[in-house]
Amino acid sequence: PDAKLVAGNTEVGIETKFKHVDYPVMVSIARVPELQQLAFDSDGALLIGGAVTLSALEHFIEHAVAERPKGNNGGLQAMLDMLRWFASVQIRNVAVLAGNIATASPISDLNPVLIALGASLTMASTGAAPRQVLVRDFFIKYRTVDMQPTE
């Protein structure tokens, strides 16, 4: 129960190297199929699983923008434009958006874009119904988020 869940591990790398945080047990969620979801729902909303890498997200959005009618892609294009500036390719190949959101990373360029787009998060926990939280309400203050320890 005290294990640190990790996917991209980029933020944990910063915490262990520079903040000297010790995580004796880490569990990778990178290969959990349910967390690899990357699709549009029936209303056209983009669904991004918690373990989807930024590179996978970037390529998915590139394809979607090319395939969808013009004039309907403003939000997707904003995300794509920001993803192209987000860190290096090596980082984008392992970093996950959920990690940047969950840690309230102040260097995550996508967080303000998600707020502007009115994005929401689905928070899940064992023994409780999933809950929806708007990204704008999720960030409480610097490095503090509306996430329970079991989520």
Side-chain angles (χ1 to χ4, degrees), residues 73-119:
N73 297 319
L76 292 174
Q77 190 62 54
M79 289 181 68
L80 185 58
D81 290 346
M82 192 53 66
L83 279 165
R84 290 181 175 149
W85 289 101
F86 198 116
S88 66
V89 173
Q90 296 89 336
I91 296 294
R92 289 194 308 265
N93 283 341
V94 295
V96 298
L97 181 57
N100 278 234
I101 294 170
T103 61
S105 176
I107 60 170
S108 175
D109 297 326
L110 277 174
N111 291 344
V113 174
L114 295 173
I115 291 169
L117 292 174

mmCIF file of all heavy atoms in Angstrom, residues 73-119:
data_model
loop_
_atom_site.group_PDB
_atom_site.id
_atom_site.type_symbol
_atom_site.label_atom_id
_atom_site.label_comp_id
_atom_site.label_asym_id
_atom_site.label_seq_id
_atom_site.Cartn_x
_atom_site.Cartn_y
_atom_site.Cartn_z
ATOM 1 N N ASN A 73 -10.718 21.519 -34.927
ATOM 2 C CA ASN A 73 -9.523 21.001 -34.274
ATOM 3 C C ASN A 73 -8.772 22.020 -33.431
ATOM 4 O O ASN A 73 -7.609 21.794 -33.108
ATOM 5 C CB ASN A 73 -8.570 20.426 -35.325
ATOM 6 C CG ASN A 73 -9.170 19.263 -36.062
ATOM 7 O OD1 ASN A 73 -9.828 18.417 -35.472
ATOM 8 N ND2 ASN A 73 -8.948 19.205 -37.370
ATOM 9 N N GLY A 74 -9.403 23.109 -33.059
ATOM 10 C CA GLY A 74 -8.685 24.157 -32.332
ATOM 11 C C GLY A 74 -8.033 23.659 -31.060
ATOM 12 O O GLY A 74 -6.862 23.947 -30.793
ATOM 13 N N GLY A 75 -8.780 22.909 -30.253
ATOM 14 C CA GLY A 75 -8.236 22.375 -29.007
ATOM 15 C C GLY A 75 -7.139 21.367 -29.253
ATOM 16 O O GLY A 75 -6.108 21.362 -28.571
ATOM 17 N N LEU A 76 -7.360 20.497 -30.232
ATOM 18 C CA LEU A 76 -6.338 19.497 -30.562
ATOM 19 C C LEU A 76 -5.078 20.175 -31.080
ATOM 20 O O LEU A 76 -3.965 19.776 -30.726
ATOM 21 C CB LEU A 76 -6.865 18.509 -31.607
ATOM 22 C CG LEU A 76 -7.967 17.569 -31.157
ATOM 23 C CD1 LEU A 76 -8.483 16.761 -32.337
ATOM 24 C CD2 LEU A 76 -7.470 16.656 -30.051
ATOM 25 N N GLN A 77 -5.247 21.185 -31.912
ATOM 26 C CA GLN A 77 -4.088 21.891 -32.455
ATOM 27 C C GLN A 77 -3.323 22.610 -31.355
ATOM 28 O O GLN A 77 -2.090 22.622 -31.356
ATOM 29 C CB GLN A 77 -4.516 22.890 -33.539
ATOM 30 C CG GLN A 77 -3.354 23.468 -34.312
ATOM 31 C CD GLN A 77 -2.572 22.405 -35.072
ATOM 32 O OE1 GLN A 77 -3.127 21.636 -35.852
ATOM 33 N NE2 GLN A 77 -1.265 22.353 -34.853
ATOM 34 N N ALA A 78 -4.033 23.175 -30.384
ATOM 35 C CA ALA A 78 -3.368 23.836 -29.254
ATOM 36 C C ALA A 78 -2.534 22.828 -28.465
ATOM 37 O O ALA A 78 -1.394 23.117 -28.079
ATOM 38 C CB ALA A 78 -4.403 24.497 -28.347
ATOM 39 N N MET A 79 -3.103 21.643 -28.238
ATOM 40 C CA MET A 79 -2.344 20.601 -27.530
ATOM 41 C C MET A 79 -1.137 20.165 -28.346
ATOM 42 O O MET A 79 -0.039 20.006 -27.812
ATOM 43 C CB MET A 79 -3.245 19.399 -27.233
ATOM 44 C CG MET A 79 -4.288 19.671 -26.171
ATOM 45 S SD MET A 79 -5.318 18.236 -25.835
ATOM 46 C CE MET A 79 -4.099 17.149 -25.060
ATOM 47 N N LEU A 80 -1.344 19.972 -29.633
ATOM 48 C CA LEU A 80 -0.249 19.541 -30.506
ATOM 49 C C LEU A 80 0.866 20.576 -30.549
ATOM 50 O O LEU A 80 2.047 20.227 -30.443
ATOM 51 C CB LEU A 80 -0.796 19.274 -31.914
ATOM 52 C CG LEU A 80 0.173 18.701 -32.928
ATOM 53 C CD1 LEU A 80 0.761 17.380 -32.450
ATOM 54 C CD2 LEU A 80 -0.547 18.496 -34.263
ATOM 55 N N ASP A 81 0.505 21.842 -30.669
ATOM 56 C CA ASP A 81 1.517 22.906 -30.696
ATOM 57 C C ASP A 81 2.342 22.890 -29.416
ATOM 58 O O ASP A 81 3.567 23.058 -29.447
ATOM 59 C CB ASP A 81 0.862 24.273 -30.881
ATOM 60 C CG ASP A 81 0.269 24.467 -32.271
ATOM 61 O OD1 ASP A 81 0.593 23.669 -33.183
ATOM 62 O OD2 ASP A 81 -0.543 25.401 -32.435
ATOM 63 N N MET A 82 1.693 22.692 -28.288
ATOM 64 C CA MET A 82 2.415 22.680 -27.011
ATOM 65 C C MET A 82 3.248 21.409 -26.866
ATOM 66 O O MET A 82 4.369 21.453 -26.360
ATOM 67 C CB MET A 82 1.433 22.819 -25.846
ATOM 68 C CG MET A 82 2.116 23.111 -24.538
ATOM 69 S SD MET A 82 3.237 24.540 -24.564
ATOM 70 C CE MET A 82 2.121 25.882 -24.835
ATOM 71 N N LEU A 83 2.719 20.280 -27.313
ATOM 72 C CA LEU A 83 3.477 19.026 -27.219
ATOM 73 C C LEU A 83 4.790 19.104 -27.987
ATOM 74 O O LEU A 83 5.795 18.533 -27.566
ATOM 75 C CB LEU A 83 2.643 17.853 -27.736
ATOM 76 C CG LEU A 83 1.641 17.281 -26.751
ATOM 77 C CD1 LEU A 83 0.634 16.388 -27.468
ATOM 78 C CD2 LEU A 83 2.359 16.505 -25.660
ATOM 79 N N ARG A 84 4.798 19.792 -29.103
ATOM 80 C CA ARG A 84 6.014 19.896 -29.920
ATOM 81 C C ARG A 84 7.109 20.676 -29.209
ATOM 82 O O ARG A 84 8.283 20.531 -29.528
ATOM 83 C CB ARG A 84 5.670 20.516 -31.265
ATOM 84 C CG ARG A 84 4.859 19.570 -32.123
ATOM 85 C CD ARG A 84 4.525 20.161 -33.457
ATOM 86 N NE ARG A 84 3.849 19.172 -34.284
ATOM 87 C CZ ARG A 84 2.948 19.475 -35.201
ATOM 88 N NH1 ARG A 84 2.632 20.732 -35.439
ATOM 89 N NH2 ARG A 84 2.383 18.523 -35.908
ATOM 90 N N TRP A 85 6.733 21.510 -28.236
ATOM 91 C CA TRP A 85 7.712 22.287 -27.469
ATOM 92 C C TRP A 85 8.016 21.646 -26.130
ATOM 93 O O TRP A 85 8.899 22.099 -25.407
ATOM 94 C CB TRP A 85 7.193 23.714 -27.245
ATOM 95 C CG TRP A 85 7.190 24.510 -28.492
ATOM 96 C CD1 TRP A 85 6.120 24.786 -29.282
ATOM 97 C CD2 TRP A 85 8.306 25.122 -29.115
ATOM 98 N NE1 TRP A 85 6.502 25.536 -30.359
ATOM 99 C CE2 TRP A 85 7.856 25.758 -30.279
ATOM 100 C CE3 TRP A 85 9.668 25.201 -28.801
ATOM 101 C CZ2 TRP A 85 8.694 26.473 -31.126
ATOM 102 C CZ3 TRP A 85 10.507 25.904 -29.646
ATOM 103 C CH2 TRP A 85 10.028 26.524 -30.791
ATOM 104 N N PHE A 86 7.283 20.624 -25.785
ATOM 105 C CA PHE A 86 7.373 20.007 -24.467
ATOM 106 C C PHE A 86 8.623 19.133 -24.375
ATOM 107 O O PHE A 86 8.704 18.099 -25.026
ATOM 108 C CB PHE A 86 6.127 19.143 -24.240
ATOM 109 C CG PHE A 86 5.861 18.781 -22.806
ATOM 110 C CD1 PHE A 86 4.720 19.223 -22.181
ATOM 111 C CD2 PHE A 86 6.731 17.973 -22.082
ATOM 112 C CE1 PHE A 86 4.434 18.891 -20.876
ATOM 113 C CE2 PHE A 86 6.472 17.635 -20.779
ATOM 114 C CZ PHE A 86 5.319 18.092 -20.167
ATOM 115 N N ALA A 87 9.591 19.546 -23.632
ATOM 116 C CA ALA A 87 10.810 18.755 -23.363
ATOM 117 C C ALA A 87 11.452 18.249 -24.654
ATOM 118 O O ALA A 87 11.202 18.739 -25.732
ATOM 119 C CB ALA A 87 10.493 17.609 -22.414
ATOM 120 N N SER A 88 12.289 17.239 -24.516
ATOM 121 C CA SER A 88 12.958 16.636 -25.672
ATOM 122 C C SER A 88 12.185 15.394 -26.103
ATOM 123 O O SER A 88 11.329 14.886 -25.378
ATOM 124 C CB SER A 88 14.384 16.233 -25.288
ATOM 125 O OG SER A 88 14.339 15.200 -24.316
ATOM 126 N N VAL A 89 12.511 14.898 -27.270
ATOM 127 C CA VAL A 89 11.868 13.674 -27.772
ATOM 128 C C VAL A 89 12.101 12.522 -26.795
ATOM 129 O O VAL A 89 11.187 11.741 -26.520
ATOM 130 C CB VAL A 89 12.401 13.311 -29.180
ATOM 131 C CG1 VAL A 89 11.883 11.957 -29.632
ATOM 132 C CG2 VAL A 89 12.017 14.387 -30.182
ATOM 133 N N GLN A 90 13.306 12.430 -26.252
ATOM 134 C CA GLN A 90 13.610 11.349 -25.310
ATOM 135 C C GLN A 90 12.684 11.399 -24.093
ATOM 136 O O GLN A 90 12.205 10.362 -23.639
ATOM 137 C CB GLN A 90 15.076 11.407 -24.848
ATOM 138 C CG GLN A 90 16.079 11.183 -25.956
ATOM 139 C CD GLN A 90 16.484 12.473 -26.661
ATOM 140 O OE1 GLN A 90 15.767 13.467 -26.669
ATOM 141 N NE2 GLN A 90 17.654 12.451 -27.279
ATOM 142 N N ILE A 91 12.444 12.586 -23.571
ATOM 143 C CA ILE A 91 11.547 12.740 -22.423
ATOM 144 C C ILE A 91 10.116 12.413 -22.835
ATOM 145 O O ILE A 91 9.401 11.691 -22.141
ATOM 146 C CB ILE A 91 11.626 14.168 -21.829
ATOM 147 C CG1 ILE A 91 13.021 14.445 -21.279
ATOM 148 C CG2 ILE A 91 10.547 14.371 -20.763
ATOM 149 C CD1 ILE A 91 13.425 13.620 -20.083
ATOM 150 N N ARG A 92 9.674 12.948 -23.984
ATOM 151 C CA ARG A 92 8.298 12.692 -24.440
ATOM 152 C C ARG A 92 8.056 11.208 -24.694
ATOM 153 O O ARG A 92 6.927 10.738 -24.601
ATOM 154 C CB ARG A 92 7.982 13.502 -25.698
ATOM 155 C CG ARG A 92 7.856 14.992 -25.426
ATOM 156 C CD ARG A 92 7.226 15.745 -26.582
ATOM 157 N NE ARG A 92 7.812 15.539 -27.878
ATOM 158 C CZ ARG A 92 8.737 16.314 -28.434
ATOM 159 N NH1 ARG A 92 9.209 17.359 -27.770
ATOM 160 N NH2 ARG A 92 9.197 16.064 -29.640
ATOM 161 N N ASN A 93 9.093 10.465 -25.002
ATOM 162 C CA ASN A 93 8.937 9.025 -25.247
ATOM 163 C C ASN A 93 8.615 8.238 -23.976
ATOM 164 O O ASN A 93 8.131 7.114 -24.056
ATOM 165 C CB ASN A 93 10.198 8.440 -25.888
ATOM 166 C CG ASN A 93 10.299 8.780 -27.355
ATOM 167 O OD1 ASN A 93 9.318 9.138 -27.999
ATOM 168 N ND2 ASN A 93 11.497 8.678 -27.905
ATOM 169 N N VAL A 94 8.892 8.796 -22.810
ATOM 170 C CA VAL A 94 8.602 8.084 -21.556
ATOM 171 C C VAL A 94 7.654 8.842 -20.635
ATOM 172 O O VAL A 94 6.926 8.234 -19.860
ATOM 173 C CB VAL A 94 9.894 7.725 -20.773
ATOM 174 C CG1 VAL A 94 10.738 6.735 -21.543
ATOM 175 C CG2 VAL A 94 10.692 8.961 -20.413
ATOM 176 N N ALA A 95 7.648 10.162 -20.704
ATOM 177 C CA ALA A 95 6.809 10.960 -19.805
ATOM 178 C C ALA A 95 5.337 10.765 -20.134
ATOM 179 O O ALA A 95 4.955 10.608 -21.297
ATOM 180 C CB ALA A 95 7.177 12.436 -19.922
ATOM 181 N N VAL A 96 4.503 10.801 -19.100
ATOM 182 C CA VAL A 96 3.058 10.677 -19.291
ATOM 183 C C VAL A 96 2.384 11.943 -18.777
ATOM 184 O O VAL A 96 2.807 12.535 -17.782
ATOM 185 C CB VAL A 96 2.484 9.418 -18.602
ATOM 186 C CG1 VAL A 96 3.098 8.151 -19.185
ATOM 187 C CG2 VAL A 96 2.678 9.449 -17.106
ATOM 188 N N LEU A 97 1.328 12.341 -19.450
ATOM 189 C CA LEU A 97 0.600 13.543 -19.065
ATOM 190 C C LEU A 97 0.045 13.421 -17.651
ATOM 191 O O LEU A 97 0.078 14.377 -16.873
ATOM 192 C CB LEU A 97 -0.523 13.805 -20.070
ATOM 193 C CG LEU A 97 -1.377 15.034 -19.842
ATOM 194 C CD1 LEU A 97 -0.528 16.296 -19.809
ATOM 195 C CD2 LEU A 97 -2.432 15.136 -20.936
ATOM 196 N N ALA A 98 -0.453 12.243 -17.305
ATOM 197 C CA ALA A 98 -1.038 12.044 -15.974
ATOM 198 C C ALA A 98 -0.031 12.326 -14.869
ATOM 199 O O ALA A 98 -0.395 12.856 -13.821
ATOM 200 C CB ALA A 98 -1.590 10.624 -15.842
ATOM 201 N N GLY A 99 1.219 11.996 -15.083
ATOM 202 C CA GLY A 99 2.245 12.257 -14.082
ATOM 203 C C GLY A 99 2.460 13.740 -13.867
ATOM 204 O O GLY A 99 2.593 14.208 -12.735
ATOM 205 N N ASN A 100 2.485 14.504 -14.956
ATOM 206 C CA ASN A 100 2.643 15.953 -14.847
ATOM 207 C C ASN A 100 1.439 16.583 -14.161
ATOM 208 O O ASN A 100 1.580 17.546 -13.409
ATOM 209 C CB ASN A 100 2.823 16.570 -16.233
ATOM 210 C CG ASN A 100 4.234 16.476 -16.734
ATOM 211 O OD1 ASN A 100 4.824 17.471 -17.104
ATOM 212 N ND2 ASN A 100 4.799 15.292 -16.740
ATOM 213 N N ILE A 101 0.270 16.034 -14.405
ATOM 214 C CA ILE A 101 -0.939 16.556 -13.762
ATOM 215 C C ILE A 101 -0.947 16.175 -12.285
ATOM 216 O O ILE A 101 -1.160 17.017 -11.409
ATOM 217 C CB ILE A 101 -2.202 16.039 -14.472
ATOM 218 C CG1 ILE A 101 -2.285 16.608 -15.892
ATOM 219 C CG2 ILE A 101 -3.452 16.398 -13.673
ATOM 220 C CD1 ILE A 101 -3.352 15.976 -16.751
ATOM 221 N N ALA A 102 -0.720 14.902 -11.992
ATOM 222 C CA ALA A 102 -0.816 14.412 -10.609
ATOM 223 C C ALA A 102 0.189 15.068 -9.681
ATOM 224 O O ALA A 102 -0.085 15.249 -8.493
ATOM 225 C CB ALA A 102 -0.637 12.897 -10.575
ATOM 226 N N THR A 103 1.337 15.442 -10.198
ATOM 227 C CA THR A 103 2.358 16.075 -9.362
ATOM 228 C C THR A 103 2.267 17.606 -9.397
ATOM 229 O O THR A 103 3.072 18.281 -8.761
ATOM 230 C CB THR A 103 3.773 15.652 -9.805
ATOM 231 O OG1 THR A 103 3.972 16.064 -11.157
ATOM 232 C CG2 THR A 103 3.963 14.155 -9.658
ATOM 233 N N ALA A 104 1.294 18.120 -10.158
ATOM 234 C CA ALA A 104 1.149 19.583 -10.324
ATOM 235 C C ALA A 104 2.471 20.193 -10.763
ATOM 236 O O ALA A 104 2.897 21.226 -10.258
ATOM 237 C CB ALA A 104 0.626 20.240 -9.060
ATOM 238 N N SER A 105 3.104 19.531 -11.712
ATOM 239 C CA SER A 105 4.408 19.989 -12.175
ATOM 240 C C SER A 105 4.328 21.418 -12.702
ATOM 241 O O SER A 105 3.576 21.699 -13.634
ATOM 242 C CB SER A 105 4.925 19.068 -13.281
ATOM 243 O OG SER A 105 6.136 19.564 -13.791
ATOM 244 N N PRO A 106 5.100 22.328 -12.111
ATOM 245 C CA PRO A 106 5.065 23.721 -12.570
ATOM 246 C C PRO A 106 5.707 23.907 -13.944
ATOM 247 O O PRO A 106 5.544 24.962 -14.543
ATOM 248 C CB PRO A 106 5.836 24.471 -11.482
ATOM 249 C CG PRO A 106 6.730 23.456 -10.878
ATOM 250 C CD PRO A 106 6.002 22.135 -10.986
ATOM 251 N N ILE A 107 6.404 22.907 -14.443
ATOM 252 C CA ILE A 107 7.020 23.030 -15.759
ATOM 253 C C ILE A 107 6.220 22.317 -16.843
ATOM 254 O O ILE A 107 6.651 22.233 -17.981
ATOM 255 C CB ILE A 107 8.481 22.516 -15.748
ATOM 256 C CG1 ILE A 107 8.550 21.047 -15.334
ATOM 257 C CG2 ILE A 107 9.351 23.389 -14.869
ATOM 258 C CD1 ILE A 107 9.912 20.417 -15.521
ATOM 259 N N SER A 108 5.042 21.817 -16.501
ATOM 260 C CA SER A 108 4.197 21.162 -17.487
ATOM 261 C C SER A 108 3.465 22.205 -18.314
ATOM 262 O O SER A 108 2.541 22.859 -17.842
ATOM 263 C CB SER A 108 3.177 20.238 -16.822
ATOM 264 O OG SER A 108 2.309 19.716 -17.818
ATOM 265 N N ASP A 109 3.885 22.349 -19.559
ATOM 266 C CA ASP A 109 3.283 23.345 -20.440
ATOM 267 C C ASP A 109 1.858 22.985 -20.839
ATOM 268 O O ASP A 109 1.101 23.846 -21.267
ATOM 269 C CB ASP A 109 4.134 23.512 -21.699
ATOM 270 C CG ASP A 109 5.529 24.026 -21.392
ATOM 271 O OD1 ASP A 109 5.661 24.814 -20.441
ATOM 272 O OD2 ASP A 109 6.468 23.646 -22.099
ATOM 273 N N LEU A 110 1.490 21.731 -20.701
ATOM 274 C CA LEU A 110 0.147 21.326 -21.104
ATOM 275 C C LEU A 110 -0.917 21.627 -20.058
ATOM 276 O O LEU A 110 -2.096 21.738 -20.399
ATOM 277 C CB LEU A 110 0.117 19.831 -21.436
ATOM 278 C CG LEU A 110 0.570 19.479 -22.838
ATOM 279 C CD1 LEU A 110 0.645 17.975 -23.025
ATOM 280 C CD2 LEU A 110 -0.346 20.080 -23.876
ATOM 281 N N ASN A 111 -0.557 21.759 -18.800
ATOM 282 C CA ASN A 111 -1.566 22.005 -17.773
ATOM 283 C C ASN A 111 -2.395 23.262 -18.050
ATOM 284 O O ASN A 111 -3.619 23.207 -17.974
ATOM 285 C CB ASN A 111 -0.939 22.031 -16.384
ATOM 286 C CG ASN A 111 -0.443 20.660 -15.953
ATOM 287 O OD1 ASN A 111 -0.807 19.640 -16.524
ATOM 288 N ND2 ASN A 111 0.384 20.627 -14.928
ATOM 289 N N PRO A 112 -1.788 24.404 -18.393
ATOM 290 C CA PRO A 112 -2.602 25.584 -18.715
ATOM 291 C C PRO A 112 -3.483 25.378 -19.951
ATOM 292 O O PRO A 112 -4.599 25.883 -20.010
ATOM 293 C CB PRO A 112 -1.570 26.689 -18.957
ATOM 294 C CG PRO A 112 -0.318 26.217 -18.313
ATOM 295 C CD PRO A 112 -0.364 24.725 -18.359
ATOM 296 N N VAL A 113 -2.995 24.624 -20.911
ATOM 297 C CA VAL A 113 -3.793 24.337 -22.113
ATOM 298 C C VAL A 113 -5.017 23.517 -21.723
ATOM 299 O O VAL A 113 -6.136 23.797 -22.164
ATOM 300 C CB VAL A 113 -2.953 23.604 -23.185
ATOM 301 C CG1 VAL A 113 -3.813 23.181 -24.369
ATOM 302 C CG2 VAL A 113 -1.796 24.474 -23.650
ATOM 303 N N LEU A 114 -4.827 22.512 -20.885
ATOM 304 C CA LEU A 114 -5.951 21.688 -20.441
ATOM 305 C C LEU A 114 -6.975 22.512 -19.668
ATOM 306 O O LEU A 114 -8.181 22.318 -19.824
ATOM 307 C CB LEU A 114 -5.443 20.528 -19.582
ATOM 308 C CG LEU A 114 -4.563 19.512 -20.312
ATOM 309 C CD1 LEU A 114 -3.977 18.515 -19.315
ATOM 310 C CD2 LEU A 114 -5.319 18.799 -21.413
ATOM 311 N N ILE A 115 -6.503 23.429 -18.846
ATOM 312 C CA ILE A 115 -7.416 24.306 -18.113
ATOM 313 C C ILE A 115 -8.221 25.163 -19.094
ATOM 314 O O ILE A 115 -9.442 25.269 -18.989
ATOM 315 C CB ILE A 115 -6.641 25.186 -17.106
ATOM 316 C CG1 ILE A 115 -6.078 24.317 -15.969
ATOM 317 C CG2 ILE A 115 -7.532 26.295 -16.551
ATOM 318 C CD1 ILE A 115 -5.087 25.031 -15.072
ATOM 319 N N ALA A 116 -7.537 25.751 -20.066
ATOM 320 C CA ALA A 116 -8.204 26.609 -21.048
ATOM 321 C C ALA A 116 -9.229 25.840 -21.874
ATOM 322 O O ALA A 116 -10.254 26.395 -22.271
ATOM 323 C CB ALA A 116 -7.167 27.261 -21.962
ATOM 324 N N LEU A 117 -8.972 24.552 -22.109
ATOM 325 C CA LEU A 117 -9.885 23.727 -22.898
ATOM 326 C C LEU A 117 -11.042 23.176 -22.069
ATOM 327 O O LEU A 117 -11.926 22.516 -22.609
ATOM 328 C CB LEU A 117 -9.114 22.570 -23.546
ATOM 329 C CG LEU A 117 -8.112 22.975 -24.621
ATOM 330 C CD1 LEU A 117 -7.310 21.766 -25.091
ATOM 331 C CD2 LEU A 117 -8.831 23.641 -25.800
ATOM 332 N N GLY A 118 -11.034 23.412 -20.750
ATOM 333 C CA GLY A 118 -12.104 22.896 -19.898
ATOM 334 C C GLY A 118 -12.017 21.402 -19.679
ATOM 335 O O GLY A 118 -13.030 20.737 -19.444
ATOM 336 N N ALA A 119 -10.800 20.855 -19.729
ATOM 337 C CA ALA A 119 -10.601 19.408 -19.583
ATOM 338 C C ALA A 119 -10.963 18.943 -18.181
ATOM 339 O O ALA A 119 -10.903 19.699 -17.213
ATOM 340 C CB ALA A 119 -9.139 19.057 -19.880
#
